[in-house]
Amino acid sequence: MAAFFRIFDDDLIQEFLWMDCCCKVTDKYLLAMTFVYFKRANFTISEYNRTKFFFALYLANTMEEDEEENKYEIFPWSLGRNWRKLFPRFLRQCVELWARMEYRGVVSKRCCEEVIAIMPSHLLWRRERAEHHSGARRHYGERDQVPRGPSAAPDPCALCGHRAKRCPGLVLLYTSSSSSSSSSVCSATTTTLQLEAEATLPKAKPPCRKAGKARAQRSASMIRTKVPPNGTHGPAVEMWNHRGQHQMWVDEIKSNL
């Protein structure tokens, strides 16, 4: 886990966390999911780097978040100014990461909390998302949701009542008054990423509305996802929640601290 924490010493990652001052893309549960993905993919220490972090974070947002527009902000931070030309390749690499994890993209809240419990005092786990930023509320027709990138300053949030301040000691400490619980969603990740790779970023759509579809309906619409050719691991949405295997993994991490 020490190698994972060292990723956040990167100046660009620090700036990225500062930009996401409301923790819509990088709350503690999504960050815990990225660590689980690193373990499931059996990354070596040298692979604990910025590039792999952005792949895992994008995949975690795809699996867990309903408001998918927010995750597009990852593109310019990971790919630079030419992100519009490079993001299809980025999405293919996310699919490769998912395959390397043997299609185990779902992470339970309990699993995330056990990851956090390994070193609960770390500042990273203070990135809690406010309740008013939970759920799915989409505003169409106001403006195109185009990633802003490192050159822009974060928008002040009227709901949170604060502005992001450029203070290195507080980058990891941006917290809100309350947190939203993270729940597991069975996503057709391959289908989603492939569709994104074939299309440009979404443009403004007609009038503002609340996303009213239940997660169960969303999961039902994703049942068309192909099952991996290797049948030993079951469907693509197979959960990794076997207590014995997971406890062995936690004990291994603690022994290396």
Side-chain angles (χ1 to χ4, degrees), residues 24-25 30 56-65 71 74:
K24 295 181 180 179
V25 184
L30 291 171
L57 182 63
Y58 190 91
L59 185 58
N61 274 267
T62 300
M63 292 296 300
E64 199 63 32
E65 296 300 316
K71 69 183 179 183
I74 295 174

Side-chain angles (χ1 to χ4, degrees), residues 179-192:
S179 63
S180 62
S181 61
S182 175
S183 59
S184 297
V185 179
C186 291
S187 287
T189 310
T190 295
T191 303
T192 302

Side-chain angles (χ1 to χ4, degrees), residues 120-192:
S121 61
H122 197 277
L123 298 180
L124 204 63
W125 310 132
R126 300 189 191 180
R127 295 185 59 83
E128 299 184 4
R129 192 185 313 182
E131 186 176 357
H132 51 250
H133 285 311
S134 62
R137 173 175 290 185
R138 301 184 178 91
H139 298 275
Y140 297 119
E142 296 180 358
R143 61 185 176 126
D144 291 347
Q145 194 78 16
V146 178
R148 306 176 59 186
S151 60
D155 287 328
C157 180
L159 294 175
C160 292
H162 64 66
R163 291 173 178 265
K165 297 179 181 179
R166 190 181 292 273
C167 178
L170 295 179
V171 171
L172 299 179
L173 278 172
Y174 253 105
T175 61
S176 306
S177 57
S178 57
S179 63
S180 62
S181 61
S182 175
S183 59
S184 297
V185 179
C186 291
S187 287
T189 310
T190 295
T191 303
T192 302

Side-chain angles (χ1 to χ4, degrees), residues 32-142:
M33 286 180 68
T34 63
F35 177 71
V36 174
Y37 288 171
F38 277 31
K39 297 300 295 183
R40 291 181 181 179
N42 293 318
F43 282 163
T44 62
I45 296 298
S46 63
E47 291 179 295
Y48 280 64
N49 55 46
R50 178 202 302 172
T51 302
K52 295 293 194 298
F53 168 75
F54 280 127
F55 291 158
L57 182 63
Y58 190 91
L59 185 58
N61 274 267
T62 300
M63 292 296 300
E64 199 63 32
E65 296 300 316
D66 290 316
E67 294 192 43
E68 297 190 346
E69 294 82 2
N70 294 327
K71 69 183 179 183
Y72 298 143
E73 189 63 39
I74 295 174
F75 292 148
W77 288 87
S78 177
L79 305 174
R81 294 182 179 180
N82 294 324
W83 65 267
R84 293 178 185 272
K85 296 181 180 179
L86 299 175
F87 82 85
R89 183 187 176 193
F90 179 95
L91 297 177
R92 288 194 294 271
Q93 290 173 312
C94 287
V95 174
E96 291 173 2
L97 170 60
W98 193 42
R100 183 170 173 176
M101 291 162 29
E102 298 175 346
Y103 305 96
R104 297 175 298 171
V106 176
V107 181
S108 67
K109 182 181 178 182
R110 180 180 178 182
C111 181
C112 290
E113 290 175 342
E114 291 186 355
V115 168
I116 294 171
I118 296 174
M119 195 174 291
S121 61
H122 197 277
L123 298 180
L124 204 63
W125 310 132
R126 300 189 191 180
R127 295 185 59 83
E128 299 184 4
R129 192 185 313 182
E131 186 176 357
H132 51 250
H133 285 311
S134 62
R137 173 175 290 185
R138 301 184 178 91
H139 298 275
Y140 297 119
E142 296 180 358

